[in-house]
Amino acid sequence: MPHNDLPHAEMVAKSEEVRQVLTPELYAYLISLIPTPDRYAALHTRFESSLTGYLKGIPEQVKECEEARVELNQAITVINGFSKAVSPIDPTVMNKFNVAPKPATTAAAAPLVAAEDFKIHFDKQGQPYSSVSKLAGAKGYEVWFCESDPSIESNWNFLTWSTNCQGIYLTGLNRTKTNYLRLRGKRGNSLGPWSNLVVLPSV
């Protein structure tokens, strides 16, 4: 699950893992992997200088050129990767290195589908919450409820919205009545079909 989809409590735990690993020593090592301007200039010069001999077919220069290209390509990959990594903070960095943004995936544009495993669970305090498998392309999930005949569309009302597909708490229900619930995925103004119907018995 992407970290931006994690519940707050899990996000704290994930962040603590990173905090424990990200020591000053590791940070310094990570920075050392990024080519300095002088290092990159040297890699570029080495490759450029060996290219003439490569084109002439001089054996020693062919080997030198191929090795230089491998090192230069590694440096370019690291720099491009770093520019993409910092793009959430400063998207202009990618433009400086002419790194094309990742194209939208077909899943994001694909039609939303109906969930088939919408379920209700209870926490240790007996509070109901729901879950469903992540729906491809969905940016959020709507839960609706009904206290009477679920076959009549006008009986349904919006209950809650969540960007997470797990741990969606069902607060605000009248638990003295039987509640019928259903869920659908949402992406912008696009709404997916309804999930399977689940029943929350009265207490």
Side-chain angles (χ1 to χ4, degrees):
M1 181 184 296
H3 65 269
N4 55 340
D5 290 338
L6 292 174
H8 291 334
E10 293 183 28
M11 184 64 178
V12 170
K14 181 62 179 178
S15 179
E16 176 60 22
E17 292 178 6
V18 175
R19 189 178 72 86
Q20 294 290 336
V21 174
L22 189 58
T23 61
E25 292 78 16
L26 179 58
Y27 175 78
Y29 174 69
L30 293 175
I31 295 300
S32 72
L33 297 178
I34 303 172
T36 64
D38 288 344
R39 171 62 177 164
Y40 188 85
L43 293 173
H44 173 82
T45 300
R46 179 191 175 196
F47 176 66
E48 185 178 41
S49 300
S50 64
L51 187 57
T52 300
Y54 173 87
L55 296 175
K56 290 181 178 181
I58 302 173
E60 296 80 5
Q61 290 297 301
V62 169
K63 182 179 180 181
E64 171 70 11
C65 184
E66 290 176 346
E67 291 178 351
R69 181 187 175 96
V70 169
E71 288 194 38
L72 183 60
N73 185 62
Q74 288 176 342
I76 293 174
T77 300
V78 170
I79 292 171
N80 286 348
F82 178 77
S83 68
K84 291 180 181 179
V86 301
S87 63
I89 300 173
D90 185 355
T92 65
V93 174
M94 285 202 304
N95 296 332
K96 290 181 174 65
F97 291 104
N98 196 28
V99 180
K102 185 178 180 181
T105 61
T106 55
L112 296 169
V113 299
E116 299 178 352
D117 60 347
F118 182 45
K119 298 177 182 179
I120 294 178
H121 315 273
F122 296 89
D123 64 17
K124 294 180 180 179
Q125 287 72 42
Q127 298 300 313
Y129 65 94
S130 60
S131 69
V132 68
S133 296
K134 185 175 179 62
L135 298 177
K139 299 301 182 182
Y141 304 87
E142 286 186 356
V143 178
W144 288 58
F145 77 101
C146 172
E147 296 178 342
S148 50
D149 187 349
S151 65
I152 301 176
E153 192 64 28
S154 60
N155 288 340
W156 287 91
N157 295 283
F158 174 78
L159 177 63
T160 189
W161 150 268
S162 176
T163 56
N164 298 319
C165 61
Q166 303 289 320
I168 308 173
Y169 272 85
L170 308 173
T171 57
L173 294 173
N174 183 352
R175 295 299 310 284
T176 64
K177 295 183 177 182
T178 296
N179 282 273
Y180 303 90
L181 297 111
R182 62 186 184 181
L183 170 146
R184 63 184 174 185
K186 185 176 182 181
R187 180 180 64 240
N189 293 324
S190 300
L191 297 171
W194 292 112
S195 69
N196 56 295
L197 186 72
V198 295
V199 180
L200 181 62
S202 60
V203 292

